[in-house]
Amino acid sequence: KTVYGDDTRRSKVESLEELINHVMSLYPSLRDFTLKYLDDEEERVTIANEQDFEEALEVMDGSILKVFIIDAVERTPVVLVDEEKEDIEEESAMPTRDEAIVDLLSVLEDEEIAGDLFEMI
């Protein structure tokens, strides 16, 4: 299977070259992309050469290989598993500058140091 955005296609290919040609025929506007799959440890692994492709097939051990097509311009997966979405949302929930300053000042117990620090900022 190939997955690009919300489009999933099922096909049979025998080599990395066939896979790349198939992807290019499905998405002609896609100029530069990376292919990845989820391995047996649920990690995204890049398929960069024929050896990687053979390894991916071996790891899947007869199961259907799901290949994620990642637009190289964006360099981010177009499709994210729900857990990955949650991780990204948690990471992006960074405090604002003011919130970080307030947090830092609340940690400081010595009011004199906190006051001096606040004046420097």
Side-chain angles (χ1 to χ4, degrees):
K1 288 183 181 180
T2 56
V3 179
Y4 180 63
D6 61 355
D7 185 39
T8 301
R9 306 283 181 107
R10 190 176 178 132
S11 58
K12 184 175 181 176
V13 295
E14 301 292 327
S15 68
L16 178 59
E17 182 180 1
E18 283 183 36
L19 177 58
I20 290 171
N21 289 334
H22 180 67
V23 168
M24 292 171 62
S25 70
L26 290 173
Y27 313 104
S29 63
L30 189 62
R31 297 284 177 229
D32 191 17
F33 56 89
T34 302
L35 302 173
K36 293 189 179 256
Y37 72 99
L38 286 178
D39 70 2
D40 51 350
E41 297 174 348
E42 297 298 313
E43 295 178 327
R44 278 188 198 265
V45 179
T46 301
I47 303 173
N49 54 44
E50 192 64 38
Q51 185 178 0
D52 293 340
F53 181 75
E54 294 297 327
E55 175 71 15
L57 292 175
E58 194 173 306
V59 167
M60 297 314 295
D61 192 30
S63 297
I64 295 173
L65 175 64
K66 185 185 258 186
V67 178
F68 297 88
I69 304 163
I70 300 168
D71 190 337
V73 173
E74 296 176 16
R75 288 286 179 214
T76 56
V78 178
V79 172
L80 298 175
V81 179
D82 288 339
E83 292 173 5
E84 292 172 322
K85 286 180 184 176
E86 290 172 10
D87 290 345
I88 289 173
E89 288 169 1
E90 287 175 15
E91 289 173 11
S92 64
M94 299 288 292
T96 66
R97 179 178 177 271
D98 291 340
E99 290 171 335
I101 291 170
V102 169
D103 289 345
L104 178 61
L105 293 176
S106 68
V107 172
L108 297 173
E109 294 179 6
D110 186 341
E111 289 181 22
E112 214 171 287
I113 293 174
D116 292 342
L117 181 62
F118 187 74
E119 285 178 24
M120 291 189 318
I121 297 171

